[in-house]
Amino acid sequence: MSVIVARDSSHYRQLLMERVPSMLAYWDADLRCQFANRAHEHWFGVSPSSLLGTSLRDLLGRELFALNEPHIHAVLAGHEQTFEQVVTGPDGVRRDSLASYVPDIVDGVVVGFLVQVTDVTQLKAAQVAFAHNKEYLHEVFSLTTEGVLVADREGRYVDLNDACSDMLGYSRQEILGKTFQDLLCAHERDRLPPARARLPSGERHVEEWALRRKDGSTVPVEVRASSLPDGR
């Protein structure tokens, strides 16, 4: 059973002020602060109350203001801005940030803009780690002496390593787009439908098959196949 508690708008405004980790602020057309939440203490070491009426240039400092200035000019011209930037706090910690500037337009005139700045340091670190892992796996994929093929949901090959090309005598481009059936010897094809039907269930397929090289010769292989979470 859920309990609904009636609250007025001041309660939600207080949550924005005190609890939201992203910096939220409103700057007028003269770049004077009209609203700021408590996250500014974490980012810049200044209280929201001390920011009211102060200049955005004073908050950011000369170097950071210069980096933001093109986006400030753009939002004051009525164009919403979204961009990444590194912000160094008073503690010396550098934070990767994602900033959004939203113009406040009244009767066709920009009277100010809303600012939201979110710390994306952990996300950026995860992206870098993912890129490194992807590069590592690609290197392993390329260097392994066993033939490796990756097929899409329709069973057509979208990737393979050099060992597979060497084994079958086809170039990479000749294999891409083919299916396992295209590589099988004719007498093996009746075995394929039941084997393929078991893969979507997550069962790993391990059997011996006879493949046909580009020159028409036969190569006996052990095939180990399974479905990936994304359907490949």
Side-chain angles (χ1 to χ4, degrees), residues 1-103:
M1 179 179 178
S2 62
V3 178
I4 300 176
V5 179
R7 296 186 173 99
D8 60 28
S9 60
S10 64
H11 169 77
Y12 302 108
R13 186 177 187 277
Q14 190 66 21
L15 286 178
L16 290 174
M17 285 287 293
E18 301 290 333
R19 304 290 295 275
V20 174
S22 298
M23 283 192 294
L24 302 174
Y26 181 94
W27 301 86
D28 65 22
D30 295 323
L31 304 186
R32 296 287 174 179
C33 181
Q34 303 300 319
F35 167 84
N37 69 344
R38 192 169 183 176
H40 286 75
E41 292 181 351
H42 174 66
W43 284 76
F44 288 105
V46 293
S47 66
S49 59
S50 67
L51 275 177
L52 297 180
T54 62
S55 167
L56 180 57
R57 186 187 300 272
D58 292 337
L59 174 67
L60 299 180
R62 183 175 62 181
E63 183 178 344
L64 188 56
F65 183 83
L67 293 173
N68 281 264
E69 198 165 13
H71 302 289
I72 294 170
H73 289 316
V75 73
L76 290 177
H79 307 295
E80 186 171 338
Q81 301 290 292
T82 300
F83 57 96
E84 293 185 10
Q85 199 167 76
V86 175
V87 177
T88 302
D91 51 5
V93 174
R94 292 167 57 86
R95 297 180 177 89
D96 292 299
S97 69
L98 178 65
S100 295
Y101 291 177
V102 181

Side-chain angles (χ1 to χ4, degrees), residues 43 83-85 95-99 117-127:
W43 284 76
F83 57 96
E84 293 185 10
Q85 199 167 76
R95 297 180 177 89
D96 292 299
S97 69
L98 178 65
V117 182
T118 302
D119 188 343
V120 293
T121 304
Q122 292 185 346
L123 176 61
K124 296 290 287 186
Q127 290 175 337

Side-chain angles (χ1 to χ4, degrees), residues 37-187:
N37 69 344
R38 192 169 183 176
H40 286 75
E41 292 181 351
H42 174 66
W43 284 76
F44 288 105
V46 293
S47 66
S49 59
S50 67
L51 275 177
L52 297 180
T54 62
S55 167
L56 180 57
R57 186 187 300 272
D58 292 337
L59 174 67
L60 299 180
R62 183 175 62 181
E63 183 178 344
L64 188 56
F65 183 83
L67 293 173
N68 281 264
E69 198 165 13
H71 302 289
I72 294 170
H73 289 316
V75 73
L76 290 177
H79 307 295
E80 186 171 338
Q81 301 290 292
T82 300
F83 57 96
E84 293 185 10
Q85 199 167 76
V86 175
V87 177
T88 302
D91 51 5
V93 174
R94 292 167 57 86
R95 297 180 177 89
D96 292 299
S97 69
L98 178 65
S100 295
Y101 291 177
V102 181
D104 181 18
I105 303 175
V106 178
D107 296 330
V109 178
V110 177
V111 297
F113 58 99
L114 299 168
V115 172
Q116 177 179 345
V117 182
T118 302
D119 188 343
V120 293
T121 304
Q122 292 185 346
L123 176 61
K124 296 290 287 186
Q127 290 175 337
V128 171
F130 175 78
H132 287 167
N133 288 338
K134 186 176 181 181
E135 182 179 347
Y136 170 77
L137 290 174
H138 179 74
E139 190 69 15
V140 173
F141 179 76
S142 299
L143 294 177
T144 182
T145 57
E146 292 189 329
V148 181
L149 297 126
V150 181
D152 62 18
R153 292 175 182 271
E154 285 69 47
R156 296 194 176 278
Y157 293 121
V158 295
D159 202 1
L160 65 145
N161 64 355
D162 291 341
C164 185
S165 295
D166 295 340
M167 181 190 305
L168 297 176
Y170 290 97
S171 69
R172 172 184 174 82
Q173 291 303 318
E174 288 174 323
I175 294 179
L176 292 177
K178 291 185 182 296
T179 66
F180 187 55
Q181 181 172 326
D182 296 329
L183 303 177
L184 279 176
C185 290
H187 68 276

Side-chain angles (χ1 to χ4, degrees), residues 204-215:
R204 188 176 184 184
H205 172 88
V206 182
E207 286 185 22
E208 291 186 359
W209 294 81
L211 302 185
R212 187 183 69 256
R213 291 190 178 99
K214 183 178 180 179
D215 63 9

